[in-house]
Amino acid sequence: MKPQIKLHDHYEFTSITRIYDIKNDFCTARVSVYAMVDSDNNVEITDSEVEFYLNGKLCNHRGFKELYVSLFSEFDFNNYYQSLCKQAGDAIHNHYTRLKNLEKI
């Protein structure tokens, strides 16, 4: 007798990467946000990475951090890095919230 297979439930997620450039007076930060998006456009951010550019040229992460810390402080660098990740995270959430709202129309 062949076993019966019946789907009990399912969860669909799509793995996405969105890359944002955030420019300020000091530099440009390219923030890559890695996330999972479900079929209802709910977003769960899994990770973020930041690359720094000075005068349009990619910086070595460690070198940029050392420069920033020497000019300001380790605390300020950590706050700056987290702020960049939050800005990019907010942008991705806003994007998918708009998609949810479009579906309701």
Side-chain angles (χ1 to χ4, degrees):
M1 177 184 239
K2 190 174 182 177
Q4 283 188 331
I5 298 175
K6 180 181 176 187
L7 177 64
H8 172 74
D9 205 347
H10 74 285
Y11 304 95
E12 294 183 26
F13 288 91
T14 302
S15 174
I16 62 164
T17 302
R18 291 183 65 94
I19 302 168
Y20 297 96
D21 284 345
I22 302 172
K23 187 173 186 173
N24 61 31
D25 292 337
F26 187 67
C27 72
T28 298
R30 180 160 291 159
V31 185
S32 298
V33 180
Y34 307 100
M36 301 296 287
V37 180
D38 68 16
S39 57
D40 295 324
N41 287 321
N42 296 309
V43 176
E44 180 183 337
I45 296 174
T46 57
D47 200 8
S48 299
E49 292 179 337
V50 182
E51 294 178 319
F52 298 99
Y53 292 79
L54 292 174
N55 294 328
K57 188 170 180 178
L58 178 63
C59 298
N60 173 287
H61 182 82
R62 191 169 100 195
F64 181 86
K65 181 179 178 181
E66 289 172 0
L67 172 65
Y68 199 98
V69 168
S70 71
L71 293 172
F72 306 107
S73 71
E74 180 89 23
F75 179 80
D76 287 335
F77 176 80
N78 292 334
N79 284 342
Y80 178 54
Y81 191 94
Q82 291 305 315
S83 171
L84 294 168
C85 292
K86 182 178 181 334
Q87 290 175 62
D90 290 348
I92 198 170
H93 282 291
N94 289 337
H95 173 77
Y96 282 94
T97 297
R98 283 195 305 274
L99 291 179
K100 275 193 226 184
N101 292 335
L102 285 175
E103 290 173 356
K104 292 179 184 177
I105 294 176

